[in-house]
Amino acid sequence: DDCALFSRVMAFIDVPVGTRLNSMLAGYFSKTVACLVSRRQGECVAWFQANPRFVDRLVEHVGVLAVAEVLLRLVGADDPGSMMPMQSMLLSAMGASGDQSAWLVDTPLLDRLLDALDAESSSFAVGASDVQSEGSSPEDAAATRTTRQANAAEVLVGIARGAPSALAAKLSGKEAMSKLFERGLNAS
């Protein structure tokens, strides 16, 4: 069953909070997800809609570059010059209506990405990217927080720079802008 296969692949990020992802395996995960999505577009969108917690799991691990790349693909912002596999997948699932990210508006994706910008956010305070393993220093933890913030910001920029969409409209809304400015002003 194709859904079972995709579930098995996505299980890579379904780990307890505080568990670090192996960066090399995350790279393989990213490439595998991209390949599956390009071949099974409709089924993948249906799977994400049926399993919304995995969008949240992706954001939890946004500190890993390969996971951030999956999020960029998911929002249709990985290559603005061409039709991406995720974009075409979402277009076909929506009957080619044009907005590839409309279903993501109803997920906590934007709120979680905005929360990831906050170094002191309680939802990321003991997150997978911040857990100090033996031998790691406070500087290492600060570097992982900075990487998480930079990757989350990159995904948000991808949403904002992409084609007009319901997700971009939500990002430009009053609530999201207030949260974004609050995060930016608190950081300075």
Side-chain angles (χ1 to χ4, degrees):
D1 181 46
D2 293 332
C3 287
L5 174 63
F6 197 66
S7 293
R8 192 166 180 188
V9 170
M10 293 303 293
F12 174 74
I13 61 166
D14 195 19
V15 294
V17 172
T19 303
R20 284 181 176 236
L21 296 179
N22 178 307
S23 294
M24 183 179 73
L25 294 178
Y28 292 125
F29 165 77
S30 176
K31 291 187 184 327
T32 303
V33 169
C35 185
L36 286 171
V37 162
S38 70
R39 287 170 171 66
R40 302 288 184 182
Q41 299 173 353
E43 291 96 334
C44 290
V45 162
W47 188 89
F48 272 111
Q49 289 174 329
N51 299 282
R53 71 186 170 97
F54 281 92
V55 173
D56 196 45
R57 289 296 200 184
L58 287 168
V59 178
E60 285 176 16
H61 297 290
V62 74
V64 178
L65 181 59
V67 175
E69 290 171 352
V70 170
L71 279 168
L72 282 167
R73 283 189 184 97
L74 192 64
V75 300
D78 60 334
D79 183 11
S82 68
M83 183 69 123
M84 288 74 62
M86 286 299 269
Q87 236 182 354
S88 61
M89 167 186 75
L90 296 170
L91 284 172
S92 67
M94 296 170 44
S97 68
D99 185 3
Q100 71 272 10
S101 61
W103 67 276
L104 289 169
V105 171
D106 297 327
T107 69
L109 176 66
L110 280 180
D111 290 330
R112 296 285 289 156
L113 286 170
L114 290 167
D115 288 344
L117 296 176
D118 187 2
E120 305 303 320
S121 175
S122 61
S123 61
F124 287 95
V126 191
S129 300
D130 293 340
V131 173
Q132 290 187 23
S133 58
E134 290 193 27
S136 70
S137 66
E139 292 84 15
D140 291 339
T144 57
R145 277 192 303 275
T146 302
T147 302
R148 183 190 67 233
Q149 290 169 324
N151 289 349
E154 184 177 345
V155 175
L156 289 167
V157 167
I159 293 168
R161 284 188 168 175
S165 66
L167 196 57
K170 184 176 178 181
L171 179 60
S172 66
K174 183 178 179 180
E175 183 180 332
M177 282 291 124
S178 295
K179 208 173 193 181
L180 184 61
F181 281 114
E182 180 182 309
R183 300 293 187 268
L185 293 173
N186 285 342
S188 55

